[in-house]
Structures are given as C-alpha cells and as structure tokens.
C-alpha cells in the first residue's frame, strides 16, 4: 500500500487539530495544553507538540496526517515533522488579523516542503469573517510566488467532506508536480 505523510500547518486556531479529527479513521493522538494566548485564539487548549491521525483513500493509499502547533514558539516541531512529509495543507483562519499575510509567510516558512511535494490552502472560518475572499488569497500567491501552484479552497475544518476534497487536491497537486518536466537549466 502506498503511504504518504502530509503536514497540516497554519496559525493558532485555524482548525488543524479539528481537521485531523474530521479526517482520521483512528483515534487521534493530540498534545493539547491550556491556552494562555486567548487573544490570538479564544479556545481552551492549544497544540504544543503534534496531532497525529491516519486515513486510507480508495483502500490503497494510506495517509499519515501530522498537525503542527500554530504558535511559533513551538516551531522546532515544524522542522522535525517537515522532514518526513511529502506535502502541506495550510489552513488559514479568515478571522485572523492578517490572514493573507499569514498565508504568504507560512508558504515561505514551508518552502522546502512546497518544492519537494506541494501545498494546498484551506481558508477556514469564513462563516465567522466573510472577507477576504478566496480570490484575494489566489491573487496574492500569483503576485508574490508566481512559480507556485497552490489551489485555494474555502473550508470548514469540522466538515469531513471539505477536508477530504482538500487532501485529495493536494495529492493530485503533488502527483502533477512530480510528473512535470524538469526546467531546462542548460
Ligand atoms: N465557525 C467555524 N469554526 C471553525 C471552522 N473551522 C474550525 N472551526 C473551529 O475553530 C476552532 C479551531 O481550533 P483548533 O482545531 O484547536 O485549531 P488549531 O489550528 O489546532 O490551533 P492550535 O493548535 O492552537 O494552533 C475549533 O473550535 C473548531 O471547531 C469554520 O470553518 N467555522
Ligand atoms: Mg491544534
């Protein structure tokens, strides 16, 4: 059976832990601790090390899902988990202070993973905060990272179907990127 390791990253409260709970077929391993930063995300707990879940697609592809902490003080975990990963789901909460800026910064933070595999963007909490629209995320990626193909979806991390579409799009994107002809460097 083919196996993939996929990372889920994004700002605090974007829905990384929730997304893995939505997708996973096994009980999720989580490392939640009391959230002392209620100003950034008003919820009781936050991830301090990782989340882990698994899903099998079409009975043939096993996907290991790792969620990383949103808080940058734990970003050493980003680097550890990134090494094993083939692709990245970037969840961005639309009700953050500067969600498009957060996305651009995180694409840069995970540029090695993007180059090795691929990235897909899931914009969450659009029901809480309507703007910016997904088109603004798409336009910003085109402007700042014109060489990157990164599909952008509006999703609810609590919705399994939304997260399945996002994951499937990422796997297609990774496959397309691996089959793309190498750039002519001669
Ligand atoms: N209204 C709404 N709530 C959402 C949506 N997506 C996720 N949530 C909620 O937003 C919260 C996200 O919390 P977590 O899943 O803990 O976020 P996280 O990204 O793991 O955060 P950290 O681990 O702290 O970095 C949860 O309460 C979810 O139920 C959405 O699209 N709309
Ligand atoms: Mg979390």
């Amino acid at each position: 059976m083919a196996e993939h390791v996929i990372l889920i990253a994004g700002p605090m409260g974007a829905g990384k832990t929730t997304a893995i709970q939505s997708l996973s077929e096994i009980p999720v391993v989580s490392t939640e601790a009391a959230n002392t930063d209620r100003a950034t995300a008003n919820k009781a707990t936050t991830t301090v090390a990782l989340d882990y879940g698994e899903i099998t697609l079409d009975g043939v592809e096993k996907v290991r899902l790792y969620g990383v902490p949103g808080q940058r003080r734990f970003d050493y975990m980003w680097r550890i988990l990134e090494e094993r990963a083939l692709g990245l789901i970037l969840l961005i909460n639309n009700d953050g202070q500067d969600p498009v800026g957060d996305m651009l910064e995180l694409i840069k933070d995970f540029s090695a993973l993007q180059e090795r595999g691929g990235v897909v963007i899931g914009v969450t909490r659009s029901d809480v905060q309507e703007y910016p629209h997904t088109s603004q995320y798409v336009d910003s990626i085109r402007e700042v990272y014109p060489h990157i193909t990164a599909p952008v979806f509006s999703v609810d991390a609590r919705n399994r179907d939304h997260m399945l579409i996002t994951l499937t799009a990422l796997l297609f994107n990774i496959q397309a990127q691996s089959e793309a002809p190498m750039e002519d460097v001669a």
Side-chain angles (χ1 to χ4, degrees), residues 9-10 12 14 18 29 59 72 108-109 119 169 186:
M12 209 181 156
T18 306
V29 177
R72 281 184 182 273
K108 191 171 68 191
D109 285 328
V119 61

Side-chain angles (χ1 to χ4, degrees), residues 50-157:
L50 57 83
D51 304 302
Y52 177 73
E54 290 177 6
I55 180 171
T56 305
L57 298 173
D58 297 332
V60 290
E61 283 186 290
K62 182 167 183 171
V63 181
R64 299 181 185 275
L65 298 161
Y66 287 91
V68 303
Q71 293 185 60
R72 281 184 182 273
R73 63 192 170 115
F74 299 120
D75 65 3
Y76 57 90
M77 284 306 298
W78 301 6
R79 305 282 80 105
I80 292 169
L81 294 171
E82 181 185 39
E83 278 176 26
R84 314 189 51 201
L86 179 67
L88 174 70
I89 296 175
L90 208 47
L91 291 183
I92 307 290
N93 47 313
N94 215 33
D95 59 342
Q97 279 200 342
D98 177 16
V100 173
D102 286 341
M103 173 195 69
L104 293 174
E105 202 176 344
L106 283 159
I107 289 176
K108 191 171 68 191
D109 285 328
F110 287 96
S111 59
L113 184 49
Q114 190 284 320
E115 279 163 28
R116 193 165 70 237
V119 61
V120 62
I121 317 292
V123 179
T124 62
R125 300 177 66 88
S126 298
D127 54 320
V128 179
Q129 170 63 47
E130 189 181 352
Y131 300 103
H133 280 154
T134 48
S135 59
Q136 290 173 256
Y137 290 86
V138 173
D139 290 347
S140 298
I141 295 171
R142 281 206 188 117
E143 192 186 321
V144 180
Y145 305 115
H147 59 291
I148 288 181
T149 304
V152 179
F153 297 98
S154 178
V155 299
D156 186 326

Side-chain angles (χ1 to χ4, degrees), residues 10 15-16 23 32 52 77 103 138 148 158 174 179:
K16 303 174 293 294
L23 284 169
E32 298 286 304
Y52 177 73
M77 284 306 298
M103 173 195 69
V138 173
I148 288 181
R158 300 166 296 183
I174 292 169
E179 287 167 0

